[in-house]
Amino acid sequence: MVQPNPEKDPEQWTTGDEPMTGPQKSYLQTLAQEAGEEVPEGLTKAQASELIDELQQRTGRGA
């Protein structure tokens, strides 16, 4: 039986300081538009992930 990996805090990601990925940027733009927000430039992967979580909660798209 395969156990799911526990979720890591984005602050502890080994690649968290790299620039956000294309899919993260695209999804952030969609969420930000729905929330009436702007996506800041130059986000890292970790920052983008945290903003995605925040905007998902605000827009009701969160899992």
Side-chain angles (χ1 to χ4, degrees):
M1 181 136 173
V2 177
Q3 293 187 2
N5 290 334
E7 238 180 85
K8 269 190 174 178
D9 182 344
E11 299 270 330
Q12 297 180 4
W13 292 356
T14 56
T15 61
D17 59 348
E18 293 178 1
M20 74 175 135
T21 65
Q24 279 180 313
K25 184 174 185 176
S26 176
Y27 189 45
L28 264 176
Q29 288 172 336
T30 299
L31 290 171
Q33 184 177 24
E34 288 180 15
E37 300 280 332
E38 293 287 324
V39 177
E41 291 294 320
L43 292 178
T44 65
K45 286 181 182 180
Q47 291 168 328
S49 178
E50 290 170 349
L51 185 54
I52 286 170
D53 289 344
E54 179 185 325
L55 292 175
Q56 281 179 327
Q57 295 225 346
R58 279 204 255 160
T59 61
R61 284 183 170 243

